[in-house]
Amino acid sequence: MKVVAGNWKMNMNYKEASALFNSLNNRLINDVEVILCPPSIYLSEFSNKLKNVKLAAQNVSSFISGAYTGEVSAQMLKNIGVDYCLIGHSERRALFNETNEVINTKIHLLLENEISPIFCCGESLTDRESGVQNEIIHNQLELGMNGLDLTQLQNCIIAYEPVWAIGTGLTATSDQAQEMHFFIRNYLKKRFQIENEILSQIPILYGGSCNAENASEIFSKNDVNGGLIGGAALKEDTFSSIIQSF
Ligand code: PEP
């Protein structure tokens, strides 16, 4: 499956968000799963109009229900027709103290509610400069996906997002992306004992300053199945040309 997901983060007022959603949603897109991740306040309205795109939440509560002011549960997201949810984004890890254990709890809650996690992992610049990126990703996958079985894994999307490339304009080279995606796929193969055919169907997306200029080079790599796009997802023309970059 080819996937392009646009993470809008906390950007765009209602008018801007509706205009971007409507134009992307009305466009027929062959062969690519296009997932929009708007701020949660827009999800309910957009989900009533879905045609050519899918919706992802940017976050979910780690609690099931109850006295958790400000939180939105996995069941609530499912009730309004959300199919995906970002989990483990580096901004949530760094700014909201999300640990691998919290991420794991959220992944289980999402899967129990039939929402597919888009599980983000990525190393910092210091990690990469010290050459420990594989260990870091291995650890994030091991703890974040703790307790999942193969069927559950088949309902997940993985996004490799090197922290040093997010919002910085520094992109991983296509070879660096391929190398890490291959490492991740190999990890999944061993951990879940998956046959190659099933393994190849698990989408692994690249994220980190991916744009209309570099997307086709990155997407051309064997183990890269698409992208998780931040800044470049906020403009219709750039996001559309990324979608057409396969
Ligand atoms: C992201 O935040 O997931 C991301 C990839 O951002 P950007 O494309 O702006 O680097």
Side-chain angles (χ1 to χ4, degrees):
M1 181 163 68
K2 296 172 184 164
V3 182
V4 176
N7 176 12
W8 295 1
K9 312 192 184 187
M10 199 171 71
N11 291 301
M12 287 197 284
N13 64 30
Y14 175 68
K15 213 173 145 193
E16 294 162 340
S18 302
L20 182 57
F21 172 80
N22 288 331
S23 58
L24 292 168
N25 188 39
N26 287 328
R27 183 173 298 206
L28 196 61
I29 304 146
N30 286 327
D31 202 21
V32 182
E33 178 98 325
V34 176
I35 305 173
L36 302 180
C37 323
S40 63
I41 194 163
Y42 305 139
L43 287 171
S44 182
E45 183 190 317
F46 293 174
S47 72
N48 288 322
K49 303 186 189 166
L50 291 180
K51 283 192 223 157
N52 295 308
V53 299
K54 296 277 172 60
L55 282 180
Q58 294 177 16
N59 186 29
V60 66
S61 177
S62 57
F63 299 101
I64 295 174
S65 69
Y68 302 102
T69 302
E71 292 286 272
V72 173
S73 73
Q75 192 183 55
M76 291 167 187
L77 292 174
K78 188 62 195 176
N79 287 166
I80 63 157
V82 169
D83 288 315
Y84 294 95
C85 183
L86 297 179
I87 283 297
H89 192 280
S90 64
E91 286 153 18
R92 295 218 54 93
R93 291 178 190 261
L95 304 172
F96 301 95
N97 302 318
E98 280 195 13
T99 61
N100 289 314
E101 289 69 26
V102 168
I103 289 163
N104 179 247
T105 303
K106 291 184 173 191
I107 289 180
H108 280 279
L109 280 174
L110 288 170
L111 289 167
E112 279 161 25
N113 285 281
E114 295 175 353
I115 296 175
S116 295
I118 303 174
F119 175 39
C120 307
C121 56
E123 81 285 359
S124 69
L125 187 58
T126 327
D127 295 333
R128 181 152 285 260
E129 284 173 349
S130 332
V132 294
Q133 64 271 21
N134 290 1
E135 284 91 322
I136 298 292
I137 301 301
H138 181 276
N139 194 44
Q140 289 177 357
L141 293 170
E142 188 86 354
L143 298 175
M145 302 183 93
N146 188 27
L148 294 195
D149 61 26
L150 177 56
T151 313
Q152 289 172 313
L153 173 70
Q154 287 178 276
N155 287 309
C156 293
I157 292 177
I158 314 279
Y160 169 57
E161 297 208 305
V163 181
W164 47 272
I166 297 180
T168 58
L170 280 177
T171 320
T173 64
S174 55
D175 287 341
Q176 282 173 322
Q178 167 57 26
E179 202 179 317
M180 187 57 86
H181 284 227
F182 179 78
F183 175 82
I184 293 171
R185 215 177 286 283
N186 215 26
Y187 165 84
L188 296 176
K189 183 182 168 119
K190 286 195 203 130
R191 158 91 188 269
F192 293 92
Q193 314 212 319
I194 323 177
E195 291 162 27
N196 284 342
E197 204 187 317
I198 295 174
L199 186 65
S200 66
Q201 286 161 12
I202 296 172
I204 307 180
L205 314 183
Y206 170 78
S209 297
C210 189
N211 57 37
E213 283 72 48
N214 58 30
S216 55
E217 164 70 17
I218 297 173
F219 294 176
S220 71
K221 294 292 176 179
N222 265 351
D223 287 296
V224 179
N225 308 109
L228 174 54
I229 318 297
L234 298 175
K235 292 225 167 65
E236 192 197 336
D237 53 346
T238 38
F239 191 63
S240 299
S241 63
I242 292 172
I243 295 167
Q244 289 157 31
S245 295
F246 288 96

